[in-house]
Amino acid sequence: MPSYNRRDLLKRALLSVYSQTLLPTEVTVIDDGSNDGSEAMLRREFPKVNYYYQENLGVSAARNLGIQQASGDWLAFLDSDDEWLPEKLAKQKAALTADPGYRICHTEENWIRNGIQVDVPKKYAKTGGWIFGHCLPLCAISPSTALIHRSVFTGIGLFDARLPACEDYDLWLRITANYPVLLVEQPQINKHGGHQDQLSQAFWGMDRFRISALQKIIDAGQLSAPNRQAAVNMLLKKAGVYLNGVTKRGKTEEASYYRQLIKRYE
């Protein structure tokens, strides 16, 4: 669990972890430079949590440190502003026991916005199997639903700490190009939104980070021919939309970069 100045939300998230019908063998919190009393709260109320502090390096570096410090083979993730439903881990373990060939499992989710449950837009509906194409338009797996075998990270690497946002989009592309995904169709988390410190609200033009992730996986030269073509098509689509945006805003240098990028991949 990565956290930055979210003491009260972190407490809610941890209570959902310790309310699981199948408890995890260990819980690790990476404090990404908090100064709001998070450590004192954890020491007082959750003394069994493995606590690590790092200077403010971002969510990817925090998750990577958690992966490195955890001792288990199966790693579950939970963002500090979300919460697991009580049977989340049990349902995933049962699904993986029934289909032992999978190395990543995720679940459907409930969306809570400003404390009220809302309908999840159809484009965010989860799916399973070989879902690389489904992951190209947007982030198709929520980190708080993911249960991943350590061997996956050995095979494809960790979160890209160079990306300030959409680091999960980048990871899902690399994973789903190489592994099928198991889906638990019933919602197993409450995904909270609407608060001011959400990463998705911190940057304008989030698609520029997705374009960077697409460029990276295309240039790595390891995609199958159909997946490469699909990735190129999505890069061109996103880059074209983004180019229109920066052009309207008079960002000439950025517009020039994206024109050249489009020309390269066309």
Side-chain angles (χ1 to χ4, degrees), residues 16-232:
S16 80
V17 171
Y18 285 108
S19 296
Q20 292 294 296
T21 58
L22 174 66
L23 290 172
T25 56
E26 62 181 352
V27 181
T28 299
V29 171
I30 308 299
D31 186 341
D32 191 36
S34 299
N35 56 14
D36 66 344
S38 289
E39 180 178 4
M41 182 276 292
L42 287 169
R43 302 292 190 198
R44 181 178 65 252
E45 301 190 36
F46 300 96
K48 293 183 179 180
V49 165
N50 298 323
Y51 174 83
Y52 299 90
Y53 180 91
Q54 66 176 24
E55 297 300 327
N56 188 227
L57 299 175
V59 66
S60 292
R63 289 193 186 120
N64 289 344
L65 178 58
I67 293 168
Q68 292 160 351
Q69 294 296 336
S71 62
D73 287 333
W74 284 98
L75 306 173
F77 297 83
L78 178 57
D79 287 346
S80 53
D81 55 344
D82 295 333
E83 57 185 332
W84 288 346
L85 299 182
E87 293 190 328
K88 191 259 187 189
L89 292 181
K91 294 286 189 183
Q92 287 185 298
K93 182 180 180 181
L96 287 163
T97 299
D99 286 296
Y102 287 91
R103 288 294 174 265
I104 174 172
C105 175
H106 72 140
T107 81
E108 268 292 1
E109 60 195 11
N110 297 321
W111 277 23
I112 312 296
R113 294 294 178 265
N114 298 310
I116 300 172
Q117 185 167 343
V118 300
D119 292 335
V120 179
K122 289 183 179 180
K123 68 178 181 179
Y124 289 102
K126 308 307 180 191
T127 188
W130 290 96
I131 65 171
F132 179 80
H134 190 72
C135 291
L136 291 171
L138 44 78
C139 193
I141 299 174
S142 293
S144 295
T145 72
L147 181 62
I148 306 174
H149 196 271
R150 183 178 295 278
S151 61
V152 173
F153 294 105
T154 302
I156 59 95
L158 301 175
F159 287 92
D160 188 342
R162 297 168 297 179
L163 289 171
C166 300
E167 76 295 329
D168 46 348
Y169 174 88
D170 170 81
L171 183 73
W172 308 140
L173 290 184
R174 287 184 280 132
I175 289 179
T176 59
N178 293 279
Y179 298 91
V181 176
L182 184 61
L183 173 67
V184 174
E185 295 181 356
Q186 300 78 26
Q188 299 300 328
I189 75 162
N190 286 334
K191 183 178 179 66
H192 291 272
H195 42 279
Q196 292 301 312
D197 66 341
Q198 278 186 282
L199 189 59
S200 60
Q201 298 184 20
F203 298 97
W204 174 84
M206 294 283 283
D207 253 359
R208 70 187 189 273
F209 304 120
R210 297 186 184 98
I211 293 166
S212 178
L214 286 164
Q215 185 177 0
K216 184 177 72 172
I217 197 168
I218 293 166
D219 291 351
Q222 297 177 347
L223 292 176
S224 67
N227 281 351
R228 184 186 188 281
Q229 188 59 59
V232 168

